[in-house]
Amino acid sequence: YAKKFIESNKKSKKISKSMIKLKLKNKGIDGEIIEKYLEKLAVSDFDAIEKVLIKKKFSDDLPFEEKNRILAYCVRKGFSLDEVLKVIKEIK
């Protein structure tokens, strides 16, 4: 179950590893099993953050308020602000 859950969320929902862990723990899955499959499936937050930024049409041309709104959205999805800022620098 954990493997299927991680695979489906990795592809479609664009949520962070920490959010996937939380959802699985809420479903009663053991933490070791969660970690095992996250490592095995090589879940990367970088790709998910990049997809979110593309979906939200993030660019340097946006007003300050709009950039902050998109950053806050990413943080609510479970990504750390540092990770989001690193992805933004890489995309540039």
Side-chain angles (χ1 to χ4, degrees):
Y1 177 79
K3 181 180 177 185
K4 294 274 187 197
F5 185 87
I6 292 168
E7 286 174 344
S8 69
N9 279 287
K10 180 177 138 181
K11 292 178 184 175
S12 63
K13 297 204 179 176
K14 301 171 192 85
I15 59 176
S16 69
K17 286 192 316 189
S18 60
M19 190 68 73
I20 290 172
K21 286 180 194 178
L22 180 65
K23 286 185 175 194
L24 284 171
K25 283 186 180 184
N26 286 341
K27 293 185 182 288
I29 307 296
D30 184 43
E32 291 179 16
I33 294 171
I34 297 168
E35 288 296 327
K36 174 183 160 186
Y37 284 112
L38 283 173
E39 288 176 21
K40 191 182 253 188
L41 297 172
V43 176
S44 169
D45 281 347
F46 185 90
D47 295 333
I49 294 170
E50 188 175 27
K51 286 178 185 178
V52 169
L53 292 175
I54 290 169
K55 179 182 173 188
K56 295 293 182 180
K57 298 178 178 131
F58 185 88
S59 72
D60 284 337
D61 301 338
L62 293 174
F64 180 76
E65 294 83 18
E66 185 68 17
K67 287 181 185 178
N68 280 343
R69 188 184 66 75
I70 294 171
L71 290 175
Y73 176 81
C74 291
V75 171
R76 284 191 306 272
K77 285 288 195 175
F79 303 109
S80 75
L81 183 58
D82 291 335
E83 290 175 331
V84 176
L85 294 174
K86 285 180 187 177
V87 172
I88 290 171
K89 285 181 182 178
E90 290 287 325
I91 291 175
K92 290 181 186 180

